[in-house]
Amino acid sequence: MSSALRPSACPGLLRIVPALDGGICRIKLDGGSISSVQAEAVAGAAERFASGAIEATNRANLQIRGIGRAQTALIDSLLAVGLGPRTAAGDDVRNLMLSPSAGIDRQSVFDTRPLAEQILASVQSHERFHDLSAKFAVQLDGGESLAMLEHPHDLWLSAFERDGTLRLAFGLAGCPTDRPAGSVALGDGHALVVAVLALFLELARPEQTRMRHLLTDHPVEDIRVRLAECVPIQAVADWQRIPGSNALHIGAHPQAEADFVYVGAVPPLGRLDPAMLRGAAQLAHEFGDASLRFTPWQSVLLPNVRIENAAHVIRRLQRLGLMCEADQALSRLIACTGSNGCGKGLADTKGDALQLAALLQQQGHVPNVHLSGCSRSCAAAHTAPFTLLAVAPGHYDLYFRDAAQPGFGALHARNLTIEAVAALLDARSRSSLDA
């Protein structure tokens, strides 16, 4: 890997970024998937060269935190098991998100993985694409019932069937539930992605690093016309992507192949220790296909488990400290690193989230809540139903999601303690049940 890494504030596998609790290494996983052998290597690297803290991210990747001076040894141990990019400069642009159940989902229209492999090969191998921002991201949706459809992407593609033919709807700077800019034949999916990336790099000014920035100068229709010069594009008048359940990443769920399920488990607040990751990898080796799939919900799936083994796998995961039931309050909470590990964090979001989860569990309510230590919202790429934005240690402003308002939504109350937040959410839940 001779290519030099460009400067960036985003961590990567080959670029370890400092934080209050030590260095951060981000390991990008193709389609969120990692083999048992690779997972064992991550656990070992976190144990030997860092604090042992491993995070599942909201883009289905992994991070190792608390890295000390042995950065080269850590990187080498991960490269040795094939967790690196094809080229050093290609690490930043491996931002392609799939459904965690790609290829095994009962409702999928097609298996996205071969096309994803083509796209990833192109963005890593073509030097011109290395100029893309480390945050520039693409989503490829195969119509799966388990799919994160709320994370905005610079380009999204979503499969649908029309008159017996598979096509890919696509959109810019949004989500698959948005109105598409158009559609292409399934066989033109790779060419469309290449055309979009090339056109973006041609049109964008240096400060325009994301598609939403470009659209302020170039309307979607103008870009669509330019793309149609490279790829045949059709209008999409009467199609819209319908979301599935947001709880399908927790517990055992049937796969397309009879007698097999995937088992989803949530590490508390997205954080694993080496024993958890190693134990899950061992279970995947014993009862699955020797792979794990990480999800945009900061959880992990064990695919291809025989249905008769599901209950045993769940019990073993729970003994490791992972959650496999959707009615656990802690499984519905998201929290960033907070002031213990980040200089921008104004509160100990992880500790406060544990306190809030205990209070909500006592009250019998399990809302989806996001705790953010600052306005950057590193832990959540989407807007949660309820967001707590830290203003001081142990104190938060509370926002309710509102489609008419940007960011976290509508500000509901200021400077609340965790106890006050729990009481307010409890009262809101009770009033909605009584309505």
Side-chain angles (χ1 to χ4, degrees), residues 35-242:
S35 72
S36 294
V37 171
Q38 290 172 327
E40 168 64 39
V42 173
E47 213 166 39
R48 294 170 59 199
F49 309 119
S51 66
I54 304 163
E55 292 178 330
T57 78
N58 60 36
R59 289 202 56 80
N61 294 315
L62 288 175
Q63 289 185 166
I64 297 176
R65 297 191 68 97
I67 301 167
R69 295 182 178 179
Q71 295 187 3
T72 301
L74 179 140
I75 292 169
D76 287 347
S77 70
L78 300 176
L79 290 175
V81 293
L83 285 170
R86 296 188 180 201
T87 62
D91 193 29
D92 281 341
V93 294
R94 294 192 291 160
N95 301 323
L96 175 60
M97 194 166 82
L98 308 182
S99 162
S101 58
I104 61 172
D105 195 288
R106 299 176 89 181
Q107 293 186 26
S108 65
V109 179
F110 86 112
D111 185 350
T112 57
R113 292 173 296 178
L115 176 54
E117 189 175 338
Q118 272 187 291
I119 295 168
L120 284 170
S122 291
V123 296
Q124 291 181 78
S125 302
H126 291 77
E127 191 173 339
R128 58 178 173 163
F129 295 141
H130 300 167
D131 290 331
L132 291 166
S133 162
K135 294 182 181 297
F136 196 99
V138 179
Q139 179 170 13
L140 177 57
D141 165 45
E144 297 89 354
S145 53
L146 176 61
M148 169 54 81
L149 302 177
E150 294 186 291
H151 286 190
H153 283 74
D154 296 279
L155 167 66
W156 60 262
L157 303 94
S158 187
F160 69 102
E161 192 170 348
R162 180 61 47 86
D163 299 326
T165 302
L166 289 179
R167 296 190 65 80
L168 288 169
F170 71 93
L172 307 174
C175 305
T177 50
D178 296 340
R179 183 179 177 182
S183 74
V184 298
L186 185 62
D188 288 328
H190 175 257
L192 174 71
V193 173
V194 169
V196 169
L197 300 186
L199 185 59
F200 174 85
L201 290 170
E202 177 189 334
L203 298 177
R205 300 194 306 271
E207 69 274 15
Q208 293 176 322
T209 58
R210 305 297 301 275
M211 186 64 74
R212 65 178 184 270
H213 305 148
L214 182 68
L215 295 182
T216 62
D217 289 347
H218 300 272
V220 171
E221 179 56 28
D222 291 356
I223 292 179
R224 195 182 80 87
V225 170
R226 290 285 303 272
L227 292 173
E229 298 172 4
C230 306
V231 186
I233 293 174
Q234 293 181 6
V236 184
D238 58 351
W239 174 88
Q240 185 173 13
R241 179 63 159 99
I242 306 300

Side-chain angles (χ1 to χ4, degrees), residues 268-269 323 327-333 349-367 369 371 418-419 421-423 425-426:
L269 303 175
M323 296 170 287
D327 62 355
Q328 292 175 276
L330 192 55
S331 72
R332 300 297 190 98
L333 267 58
T349 50
K350 296 283 192 194
D352 292 339
L354 292 174
Q355 182 187 357
L356 179 61
L359 292 169
L360 294 173
Q361 197 73 46
Q362 290 172 12
Q363 295 166 357
H365 304 304
V366 286
V369 183
L371 290 84
I418 291 298
E419 293 85 355
V421 169
L425 292 179
D426 183 45

